[in-house]
Amino acid sequence: MSCPKCVEGYVLPGQPTGTIQPEYQGAYFAPRPENGQKDVAVILLTDAFGLPLKNCKLMADKIAAQVGCDVWVPDLFQGPPILPLSAMSAMPDRADQRPTILEWVSFIFGNIFPALPRFIRNRGSVVDARIASFVALLKETKPYEKFGAVGYCFGGTAAIRLASTNLINSVVVCHPGAFSISAVQAMGVPSSWAWPEVDVAVSPQKILDTEAALASKKATNPSLEYESKEYPGTQHGFAARPNLNYPEIVEAHEKALEQTISWFKKTLLG
């Protein structure tokens, strides 16, 4: 479901340049440059803090500018996100630091129990239906022919499931929450994965099993390319909410974003 690291993080500097689009279910829209690709769009699936945390909007702006396509950030929760911004603690998130028993207890009683109704209201099947509805709306009203999706934490797990549909053509998954290997085996598009060195949400063995499943799929279908990168010194959340006090964490965040941009250039524009 979630972990103590899911509420850690920092707000990125800067101000978003896109806009909220009420006619598109309240999604955030980062437009492509004037000379960008009109037939390509990327959908960014947020962590549990949703649109109120501006980091997702700033990252969408960068992806739009550097990939050269429209980027949309749907409101996955259609209301209050699972976790409010007030729950985000600004604590160190290097790989050599671990949640203590006290942090686990504080996390469960301070964040999970109060958020249980929102977890239930935003369970996977419900969020998946919202995403499908949003993509359908874009397909009906926009000239897009190719879609990419990138997901972080909560949105990373949703991105894995989305990759098993016929709604997108490429996916990037950044430190997802809990997922099954069967969900990985069901994926039908090229995928890029960004992992932290230490992740209390996903075990090292789970990562190895994921890579094995991806390799097996590529062996039978060479079009299902994949890449899997680990970022040393990081923990869960670094790609979305980097600890700004540590230059190495900020650098890892930036490199993960570069990974995303490069992957979409390769798989959507190539």
Side-chain angles (χ1 to χ4, degrees):
M1 181 182 292
S2 287
C3 63
K5 293 297 173 186
C6 289
V7 298
E8 293 186 8
Y10 286 73
V11 178
L12 294 172
Q15 293 300 319
T17 57
T19 56
I20 295 293
Q21 301 284 311
E23 65 273 28
Y24 285 91
Q25 302 174 5
Y28 177 79
F29 175 57
R32 64 184 182 274
E34 288 187 11
N35 61 346
Q37 296 281 329
K38 297 180 180 180
D39 59 348
V40 173
V42 167
I43 299 168
L44 190 156
L45 305 176
T46 68
D47 57 21
F49 293 99
L51 285 170
L53 179 60
K54 69 176 182 176
N55 293 12
C56 62
K57 302 172 186 175
L58 293 170
M59 292 188 292
D61 291 343
K62 289 185 178 180
I63 295 170
Q66 295 185 38
V67 175
C69 69
D70 291 345
V71 179
W72 294 85
V73 187
D75 180 3
L76 297 183
F77 310 112
Q78 293 296 295
I82 292 176
L83 296 173
L85 290 182
S86 59
M88 187 169 69
S89 59
M91 302 198 309
D93 53 3
R94 298 178 307 183
D96 59 352
Q97 297 163 329
R98 304 288 193 277
T100 65
I101 294 177
L102 181 60
E103 286 176 331
W104 271 109
V105 171
S106 176
F107 170 75
I108 291 171
F109 284 94
N111 295 285
I112 292 299
F113 283 173
L116 276 177
R118 294 190 294 276
F119 273 110
I120 295 170
R121 189 173 68 84
N122 296 292
R123 59 194 179 277
S125 60
V126 174
V127 170
D128 290 351
R130 291 176 189 151
I131 295 171
S133 171
F134 178 73
V135 177
L137 177 60
L138 291 181
K139 289 188 173 185
E140 290 172 3
T141 59
K142 296 291 183 179
Y144 305 140
E145 297 179 3
K146 290 184 178 181
F147 286 87
V150 54
Y152 300 85
C153 306
F154 179 92
T157 304
I160 295 172
R161 298 192 300 266
L162 182 61
S164 68
T165 71
N166 61 356
L167 297 175
I168 62 172
N169 305 93
S170 179
V171 71
V172 178
V173 181
C174 298
H175 44 66
F179 64 93
S180 66
I181 295 301
S182 62
V184 176
Q185 293 169 334
M187 295 171 67
V189 300
S191 60
S192 177
W193 302 72
W195 305 102
E197 179 181 338
V198 174
D199 196 333
V200 293
V202 180
S203 70
Q205 185 59 52
K206 188 68 165 289
I207 295 174
L208 292 175
D209 292 344
T210 297
E211 292 172 339
L214 294 170
S216 177
K217 290 173 67 65
K218 184 180 179 182
T220 57
N221 185 350
S223 69
L224 295 180
E225 295 182 86
Y226 75 94
E227 64 178 12
S228 182
K229 297 183 179 181
E230 178 186 293
Y231 289 84
T234 62
Q235 289 210 37
H236 184 94
F238 79 94
R241 307 178 303 277
N243 187 325
L244 302 179
N245 290 324
Y246 296 100
E248 66 272 23
I249 301 298
V250 175
E251 181 181 6
H253 160 78
E254 293 171 347
K255 287 187 178 297
L257 191 57
E258 290 172 5
Q259 176 184 339
T260 298
I261 291 166
S262 295
W263 187 253
F264 286 142
K265 285 182 175 180
K266 175 183 177 180
T267 57
L268 296 178
L269 306 185

